[in-house]
Amino acid sequence: MQIVENKDKFREALLSWYLREKRDLPWRNTSNPYYIWVSEIMLQQTRVDTVIPYYERFIARFPTMESLVEADESDLLKMWEGLGYYSRVRNLQSGVKEVVENYGSEVPASRKEISELKGIGPYTAGAILSIAFGLPEHAVDGNVMRVISRLLLIDDDIAIPRTKRIFENVIMDLIDQEDPSSFNQGLMELGATICTPKPKCLLCPVREFCLAFNEGRQEEFPVKTKKVKMKVVPVASFAMRNEKNEWLLRKRSEKGLLANLWEFPMIELASLQTPKELARVECDIELTELLSFKHVFSHLTWDLTCYTGLIQGDHKIPDGYHFFSNKEVEELPKPVPVLKIWDEVKQQLTGNDGK
DNA sequence: AAACCGGGGCT
DNA sequence: AGCCCAGGTTT
């Protein structure tokens, strides 16, 4: 049975499955557009199970758009700590501020207006419009492209940006006018649970409509060209304390990777000299190796070794560096690799206390 | 169009 | 070790 000739039957099959099987997620118990907005930003490139606790904490801490507008950036980053893509929360606050100031705290319900808000692109616009306002708008993400490419045997390369337009046009033709929210969420739910990269077609509620399944070619879709391999960057990091047991950290640049988060000083290793030798020669500081690990980003890998040591007497501290007490370090927003180092430092401290 | 931007789970 | 994920912004 082909979709193009049986759109109503396809909608019925998808919606009845979704309404019967949908997972009970926190953001599905609200129609507050701001809450839907928060959930969609968190869900960008991030799995549902990861998002749930962050969403609960965020809504409890910032229950209204006005409360979010008033927050300091450091508080925002602390709420987002460990979630990644930290600009998302800065853009979210910026967008919410626009709504509070320019729309009387009412999220605009048109694609044109909502798309002008910071951090809201074509997908998120469609998701909020359909889920919060019940409007028949497309919300095409990676899940939807995978599902639709299989249903209709669309073999265009989804790595090419303009390919997304093809899928948006399909959705606008196929979307259920009575319940666009459940239709869009049904497609996403299908992609997340059944029409996965390794699809579970025997469980699929719409497999009789699926051209790829009928040909046994479901694993050939979607067509996506490969990316180049990332590079590995050797990095040395230094967890240094002074004689008052305060730790030396610095705030990262306001632009680029991990913007405005805090870290123990670190350098990319270009020198032939080992950090240990360098510190002894240049600063008369003895370092001991604390731990090593790899941290994988989407585009590069840090091969990181962390050293620790004691700074005694007079040393010139460069601009942007500060000493913090244990409690203060705890409160700074830190990316995951720095959290790992800090956990190791704390374990060492605990071990010493226990003796 | 391509590069940049985190982190974790799955296979 | 590679792939993918409820993407958007900047260049």
Side-chain angles (χ1 to χ4, degrees):
Chain A
M1 196 186 311
Q2 297 210 2
I3 287 187
V4 286
E5 297 158 6
N6 297 280
K7 293 172 191 167
D8 281 328
K9 289 183 179 176
F10 171 77
R11 292 171 188 132
E12 160 63 20
L14 178 67
L15 285 226
S16 67
W17 168 80
Y18 173 71
L19 294 172
R20 187 173 68 249
E21 300 286 344
K22 66 177 178 180
R23 295 167 290 178
D24 182 20
L25 304 174
W27 46 90
R28 286 182 175 163
N29 299 321
T30 179
S31 58
N32 184 329
Y34 165 58
Y35 294 168
I36 306 293
W37 185 357
V38 170
S39 74
E40 289 299 337
I41 299 300
M42 286 187 170
L43 286 163
Q44 288 169 6
Q45 302 301 104
T46 311
R47 287 191 155 69
V48 166
D49 290 344
T50 305
V51 165
I52 290 173
Y54 283 90
Y55 173 84
E56 303 276 22
R57 279 198 299 272
F58 196 93
I59 295 301
R61 173 72 178 77
F62 305 118
T64 65
M65 292 194 280
E66 287 79 3
S67 63
L68 179 60
V69 169
E70 294 167 6
D72 292 335
E73 192 199 14
S74 62
D75 293 331
L76 288 184
L77 290 174
K78 197 63 188 173
M79 295 302 293
W80 216 263
E81 184 179 77
L83 203 50
Y85 286 109
Y86 298 94
S87 288
R88 288 186 291 175
V89 72
R90 284 187 281 262
N91 291 340
L92 172 62
Q93 185 189 40
S94 175
V96 167
K97 189 161 182 277
E98 294 176 61
V99 171
V100 170
E101 293 179 352
N102 302 334
Y103 292 97
S105 296
E106 298 285 337
V107 177
S110 73
R111 183 172 285 274
K112 179 180 187 329
E113 289 177 309
I114 205 171
S115 297
E116 291 171 359
L117 301 174
K118 196 79 173 170
I120 298 188
Y123 164 76
T124 306
I128 297 174
L129 292 172
S130 60
I131 298 171
F133 299 116
L135 298 174
E137 294 282 350
H138 61 77
V140 174
D141 66 349
N143 278 326
V144 172
M145 286 197 283
R146 187 172 55 251
V147 172
I148 297 296
S149 71
R150 286 168 174 165
L151 282 166
L152 298 179
L153 280 180
I154 296 174
D155 61 1
D156 299 75
D157 181 2
I158 67 168
I160 299 172
R162 60 182 152 78
T163 299
K164 205 165 93 171
R165 275 211 325 255
I166 297 173
F167 292 92
E168 290 170 348
N169 290 336
V170 169
I171 295 299
M172 290 309 277
D173 178 53
L174 203 56
I175 193 167
D176 188 297
Q177 299 290 325
E178 302 300 315
D179 190 354
S181 168
S182 296
F183 181 88
N184 280 342
Q185 292 190 81
L187 283 180
M188 290 186 268
E189 187 90 348
L190 193 62
T193 61
I194 291 174
C195 199
T196 50
K198 295 278 187 186
K200 308 164 181 66
C201 297
L202 296 182
L203 301 175
C204 181
V206 294
R207 72 179 181 211
E208 64 176 308
F209 301 91
C210 184
L211 298 182
F213 176 73
N214 285 338
E215 296 189 10
R217 298 172 57 201
Q218 56 269 25
E219 299 212 20
E220 298 176 27
F221 295 85
V223 174
K224 185 177 185 178
T225 56
K226 289 175 188 171
K227 282 188 184 178
V228 294
K229 204 184 154 195
M230 71 176 127
K231 67 174 182 180
V232 178
V233 179
V235 170
S237 178
F238 306 91
M240 307 299 297
R241 63 187 167 89
N242 62 17
E243 291 169 302
K244 292 187 287 185
N245 273 323
E246 296 165 330
W247 298 92
L248 186 64
L249 287 92
R250 67 181 178 189
K251 195 178 192 179
R252 291 180 62 87
S253 161
E254 64 181 18
K255 300 189 69 173
L257 183 66
L258 303 172
N260 283 355
L261 278 79
W262 290 83
E263 67 182 4
F264 296 108
M266 59 176 68
I267 54 168
E268 294 187 14
L269 286 180
S271 161
L272 290 177
Q273 236 174 345
T274 70
K276 208 167 165 169
E277 291 167 351
L278 198 63
R280 183 164 57 235
V281 172
E282 298 291 328
C283 311
D284 191 29
I285 292 177
E286 285 294 334
L287 293 178
T288 55
E289 193 174 320
L290 184 63
L291 80 165
S292 293
F293 58 88
K294 290 189 196 303
H295 184 80
V296 180
F297 297 94
S298 51
H299 56 303
L300 66 90
T301 297
W302 280 351
D303 187 355
L304 185 151
T305 301
C306 183
Y307 302 84
T308 186
L310 175 63
I311 298 177
Q312 292 176 296
D314 287 337
H315 284 276
K316 190 178 176 191
I317 305 302
D319 286 346
Y321 292 66
H322 303 277
F323 280 107
F324 296 96
S325 70
N326 287 351
K327 184 172 185 302
E328 289 168 333
V329 174
E330 200 68 35
E331 291 167 356
L332 296 173
K334 302 172 286 295
V336 164
V338 178
L339 286 170
K340 282 186 189 168
I341 294 170
W342 179 235
D343 281 345
E344 185 67 23
V345 168
K346 282 190 292 186
Q347 274 199 18
Q348 299 263 323
L349 290 177
T350 308
N352 291 340
D353 288 343
K355 284 179 184 173

